[in-house]
Each structure stands twice: as C-alpha cells, then as structure tokens.
Amino acid sequence: MKNISELVNELVSYGVKCGLTDPEDAIYARNRLLEVMGEDEYTDSAVNEERDLEVILSDLLDAAAEKGLLTDNTVTYRDLFDTKLMACLTPLPSSIVKEFNRRYSVSKTDATDWFYKMCCDSDYIRRYRIKKDKRWKYLSKYGELDITINLSKPEKDPKAIAAALNAKQSAYPKCQLCVENTGYAGRVNHPARQTIRTIPLNFNGEEWRFQYSPYVYYNEHCIVFCGEHRPMKISKDTFSRLLSFEDYLPHYFIGSNADLPIVGGSILTHDHFQGGHYTFAMEKAEIEKEVNFKGFEDIKAGIVKWPLSVIRISGKDKERLVALADKILTAWRGYTDKESFIFAETDGTPHNTITPIARMRDGAYELDLVLRNNITTDEHPLGVYHPHAKLHHIKKENIGLIEVMGLAVLPSRLVSEMDTLAEDILKGSDIAADEKVKSHAEWINEIKDSYEDFEGKSKEEILDILKAEIGKVFEQVLEDAGVYKCTPEGREGFDRFVEYVNK
C-alpha cells in the first residue's frame, strides 16, 4: 500500500482535477489532510495513476485504522473519518453559494448541474454506493413504475448500534435537516456533515435552504427545508412555497410529504420538501375525468388516472392556483363520507391531509393534490390506506411522497431474500421451512400458479419473474394507499367529494 504522503498527494490531486479544490488551495488542503492523519512529515511524489476516489479513501482509512485514529474500524466510524478527510478539500459554504448564484444568473440548469456535481465530487453523495442500488421498471396498468432496492444507505453494524444506545444524547443539531448540520463532524448516532453545502432561499420573507439528498433515490434528488426547526404543516403557505420554488428552479419538480403519521414521511418534526430533475409515472398519468370548481373556471382541473386519489389543477396565475388548492385542502380536512369509509376525525384525532406536488408544464404551473387519510382499524392497525398485511413481506413502511409518485423504495434485505428464494425454488426446498424467506412462502405459491414450468426455469429467469412480481406488489401497495379506489364505487365517492368542494 502507498504511504500516507503518497495517499494525501493523490487525494489532493483528485480534488484539483475534478474542480473541487482550487489549485491555489492545494498546499492548504494537503496540510489539513496531514493534520487529520496525524502526520508531521510529508514527502512529495508524482501521481502516476488515476484511481477511483473510493479506493484512495479506503487506503487512507486503512492507514488511519493502523494508527489508531478510528474509534473502531467499522463502516460507521470509517464514514465519520472519511468525511473529515473530504472536508479538507471542500470549499467553504460562502464560496459555494457565491459560485452557485453566479452561475444561476446565467443559467439555472447550469447552476444545479454544477452544484450536484460538486456534491458528488466532495463525496457527500457517495456515487460508488449509489451504483449498488438495484433499479428496474414495472409496466403497470397506471404506467411504468420505478422499483428500487436501496443499498447506498449503509446498515449500522452491531457495535455502532450498541455505542449509539450508550452515547450521550445531544440536542445539537436538533435533527438531520437543520441548517446547523453544515460542517458538523457527526457522532456515532448522527452522520458527519462536514461536506454538506446548502443554498439559501427566500419564500415570502422566510429563510429556507436547498440541498441534495446524500442517498439519491432519483436524479438530482434534492431537499428544501425551512431555516427554522418546526413541524411539517400542509397549508395555503405550503402551496405558495412550492410554486415559488418552481419560479426559482422550473426544471425541477417539488413536493411535500403529508403532515400526519402513517401517510407522512420519516421526518415530521422539520418542515421540508423534496424535489429533483426526474419525471415520475404519476406526472405522465393522464386525466381520466375533467372537473370544474365553482369560482375557478379559469383553472384546469381533473381526476388523474392513478391508484392514489389525485386532483390535478393547472394554470398560469399562481395566486389563483394557491387559492383553489387551499379550498380543496380545507374541504378535505373536514370531509367525512361514511359510505367511502372517509372520516375527518375520530375521537378528536384528525385523519385527512394532502400530499402536494408542483411542477411546470408547457409554461403553466401544475399542482397534484393527493388525498390522504391515516385512519386505522383492528383489521388494519397500521392504516386502512396503507400497505395491507399481505404485502408487508415486500413493503411495510409508510407510503410517502416518493412512493406516491410511483417510485418504490424497498428494503435492502430483499436482495439476499430474492437470491435465497431463487435457490430454494431450483432445489425444490420448502420455502415455508426456510427461516430467512418463509414470509414470502404464500406469495411464491401464488406466483407458481401464474407461470408455466416455474421450477424448470433457470435462476436468472426466476429472478426476472420475482422482479416483475415485486413490481406487481408495489402496484397493489399504491392501490391500498388510495382513498378512492379505481372502481365505479370508488369513483362515485370521488365525485361526491368534488361536489362537496363546490357547495
């Protein structure tokens, strides 16, 4: 393995070559890296080969482990340490903001292209991990759904989990979305964020921030969060902010998770949106029925052909669109229809909310308003409009904004489970007796009946079938999450709500 001087020189050379580090800052970056590595001496050397960043960092982490610089040589502590190394190459937040704004004044697309590349080059977005994610398409009756199995977010090792339980609890930063994460070194129970950079935004006098997600579930997956740590709240102001963001970056969509448990995202304590440069299946879905809202005849509106219940409104007048969205939200918050099993509240607990998504289309603003309800019953304790128990072997987690739009984010366990299932099928093993995959046994029995000579297929053919069937399960997941089903009865219920809005 190369010595530490050679590795430091190699890393600095990488930073300069990709444009992350200004050549004028090369010596400064080198000395910061030597400090982090606990080195007082340096011997200059030529970089004769270009190695991937992952390899360079891996060698530096091994050297750091040998020197006792890591608390433990596990992925958690290696991630904390390599972020500290990359922070030595990453420009200050103020420099990033100035360069972004300079580019933005010329081209909004160029500004985001540059910023996204910088976040990748700094290893804040770990490209070599993102590549490990499993992705495929499934053609459903609603359009082409995206199926992903996320492998880029490392699972914590047992030692790190134990250390996190015993670690002193800290209220700083208050959560992983707070602006105070910028430059934060991290700890065993909080990721290092020395390389995160955010761009300040102003929504009606409020400070918000724009950054990229480190896990990139889709192209240029970004997060826009409030400068104040406050809970999620869907309101008229939400619609106004979403459409203001479309003025700011019209080539991106932007949406918000709902603000209630079960139908909301994983973080309800900090008001934020998610967006990016990607076209989801829901955006491609057509209007199945045009509708009119009294007093808003200038706004195009319709029910979308989609498994969840979506009202799409569009127009060129932003304020009119916000006003109609607010009217629909207010009506839905208080709406009860026992025939459709829609209850605004039970025992004082509210159930109705909206997942909104904004975009520009053909020069007009467009808002998709997805009607959500989080009521639970004895039969469906995790939610009536949530993946039902029969589907939990594939997807049990909340159906948030990303899934709503047609992209499944599935647990990493499925990769090894699908491989085990294929092997068991080839061997003729009893899947119900295999502890690792027995939760899939009923599903596999159903699949067998749909394919001729299922057991006689090759492993690759079986895996392809399983991927298609996972797509079919996700389609059912989305149908479960719809408050009004795509049936005559369901659409009649949807019509009743539109009539209620028009009263």
Side-chain angles (χ1 to χ4, degrees):
M1 189 175 77
K2 298 182 179 183
N3 63 45
I4 290 177
S5 288
E6 291 173 319
L7 292 170
V8 165
N9 190 34
E10 194 176 7
L11 188 57
V12 172
S13 177
Y14 159 85
V16 171
K17 183 158 188 177
C18 71
L20 182 66
T21 306
D22 191 291
E24 189 63 31
D25 295 329
I27 294 175
Y28 173 78
R30 174 208 301 165
N31 288 328
R32 289 196 63 203
L33 285 166
L34 291 172
E35 178 186 1
V36 172
M37 292 300 297
E39 291 289 301
D40 296 324
E41 301 293 333
Y42 173 78
T43 304
D44 204 5
S45 60
V47 178
N48 297 318
E49 60 175 329
E50 286 187 21
R51 300 195 299 165
D52 291 341
L53 176 61
E54 179 184 16
V55 178
I56 302 169
L57 288 175
S58 181
D59 284 352
L60 277 165
L61 288 167
D62 289 344
E66 286 182 14
K67 294 189 68 172
L69 299 176
L70 304 184
T71 303
D72 204 344
N73 194 17
T74 59
V75 65
T76 300
Y77 292 103
R78 287 172 75 92
D79 280 2
L80 290 170
F81 197 86
D82 71 8
T83 305
K84 185 184 294 187
L85 292 172
M86 291 305 297
C88 299
L89 305 181
T90 306
L92 289 172
S94 57
S95 298
I96 297 298
V97 172
K98 287 175 184 175
E99 180 61 16
F100 181 90
N101 288 337
R102 184 190 71 78
R103 290 173 180 266
Y104 181 88
S105 66
V106 178
S107 167
K108 297 177 180 180
T109 303
D110 177 61
T112 53
D113 286 349
W114 172 82
F115 186 39
Y116 184 75
K117 179 180 180 299
M118 189 283 302
C119 291
C120 291
D121 291 340
S122 69
D123 209 37
Y124 164 69
I125 295 173
R126 298 172 185 262
R127 284 177 284 204
Y128 43 88
R129 286 188 182 162
I130 303 298
K131 288 178 182 177
K132 296 177 183 178
D133 289 349
K134 304 296 182 183
R135 303 173 185 272
W136 67 93
K137 302 276 189 178
Y138 172 71
L139 185 58
S140 74
K141 55 180 171 284
Y142 307 102
E144 203 169 47
L145 304 178
D146 291 295
I147 312 298
T148 69
I149 298 178
N150 182 256
L151 301 174
S152 57
K153 191 173 184 179
E155 296 185 11
K156 291 211 171 190
D157 52 86
K159 285 185 179 180
I161 293 171
L165 288 173
N166 296 323
K168 179 183 176 182
Q169 295 303 304
S170 172
Y172 182 86
K174 290 180 180 177
C175 78
Q176 291 187 28
L177 288 180
C178 286
V179 69
E180 288 80 12
N181 281 278
T182 306
Y184 187 64
R187 52 186 189 268
V188 68
N189 56 1
H190 193 106
R193 288 292 181 254
Q194 286 129 311
T195 55
I196 195 174
R197 298 294 181 262
T198 66
I199 306 298
L201 306 175
N202 186 299
F203 291 150
N204 302 323
E206 272 194 343
E207 180 190 342
W208 284 62
R209 293 268 169 170
F210 162 62
Q211 68 181 54
Y212 286 107
S213 165
Y215 305 117
V216 194
Y217 292 137
Y218 49 84
N219 188 46
E220 295 178 38
H221 179 179
C222 71
I223 299 171
V224 178
F225 63 95
C226 183
E228 176 189 358
H229 180 80
R230 69 183 186 208
M232 296 283 292
K233 180 65 178 175
I234 302 298
S235 67
K236 183 178 182 179
D237 287 339
T238 304
F239 306 132
S240 178
R241 294 181 191 117
L242 292 175
L243 294 179
S244 292
F245 182 84
E246 288 305 300
D247 289 334
Y248 183 69
L249 294 178
H251 57 296
Y252 276 20
F253 82 89
I254 188 79
S256 175
N257 269 306
D259 54 357
L260 294 178
I262 297 175
V263 295
S266 58
I267 299 178
L268 292 174
T269 56
H270 197 128
D271 206 359
H272 70 285
F273 309 139
Q274 294 183 77
H277 200 183
Y278 191 70
T279 302
F280 290 85
M282 190 175 82
E283 180 179 342
K284 298 175 186 176
E286 298 177 350
I287 296 293
E288 70 174 45
K289 180 180 181 180
E290 292 186 0
V291 297
N292 293 305
F293 290 102
K294 289 181 182 177
F296 293 91
E297 288 77 13
D298 54 320
I299 301 296
K300 287 180 64 178
I303 293 172
V304 180
K305 185 181 178 182
W306 192 245
L308 283 94
S309 307
V310 186
I311 297 173
R312 178 172 293 163
I313 59 176
S314 62
K316 294 195 173 184
D317 188 327
K318 183 167 61 176
E319 298 308 317
R320 292 284 290 162
L321 217 61
V322 168
L324 177 54
D326 183 53
K327 181 177 181 178
I328 293 169
L329 172 65
T330 302
W332 180 245
R333 291 275 196 201
Y335 185 69
T336 291
D337 180 354
K338 294 181 181 179
E339 188 176 342
S340 295
F341 204 76
I342 303 294
F343 294 89
E345 58 85 23
T346 53
D347 300 325
T349 300
H351 296 305
N352 290 350
T353 185
I354 278 177
T355 299
I357 301 102
R359 65 182 73 90
M360 297 297 295
R361 194 197 295 263
D362 299 328
Y365 299 101
E366 186 170 272
L367 268 175
D368 280 351
L369 306 174
V370 187
L371 307 180
R372 311 297 303 276
N373 179 289
N374 75 347
I375 195 168
T376 62
T377 63
D378 290 341
E379 183 183 1
H380 301 294
L382 296 182
V384 172
Y385 306 108
H386 177 86
H388 291 175
K390 184 180 179 181
L391 310 177
H392 288 178
H393 65 106
I394 298 294
K395 179 70 175 176
K396 185 179 181 179
E397 299 78 14
N398 289 358
I399 303 305
L401 171 68
I402 296 172
E403 287 90 357
V404 162
M405 295 184 290
L407 189 152
V409 181
L410 302 177
S412 59
R413 62 175 172 80
L414 285 176
V415 172
S416 61
E417 289 176 5
M418 294 306 103
D419 190 74
T420 300
L421 281 171
E423 291 287 348
D424 283 356
I425 291 165
L426 285 171
K427 295 174 185 174
S429 303
D430 182 3
I431 291 170
D434 189 329
E435 193 66 30
K436 184 177 180 181
V437 294
K438 65 180 183 180
S439 63
H440 300 294
E442 183 180 344
W443 176 57
I444 293 297
N445 286 333
E446 292 174 0
I447 292 173
K448 285 179 180 178
D449 295 335
S450 303
Y451 293 88
E452 187 177 338
D453 189 29
F454 187 62
E455 286 89 348
K457 297 186 183 298
S458 68
K459 183 175 180 180
E460 289 71 23
E461 289 173 324
I462 291 172
L463 287 172
D464 284 342
I465 288 172
L466 293 179
K467 286 167 68 175
E469 292 297 325
I470 287 173
K472 192 178 294 183
V473 168
F474 182 57
E475 182 179 15
Q476 294 171 335
V477 162
L478 296 181
E479 289 175 338
D480 283 353
V483 295
Y484 295 116
K485 307 308 178 187
C486 297
T487 62
E489 297 78 15
R491 273 9 202 180
E492 285 174 12
F494 211 153
D495 288 343
R496 286 197 297 273
F497 173 65
V498 172
E499 290 170 7
Y500 176 82
V501 176
N502 277 326
K503 283 184 179 179

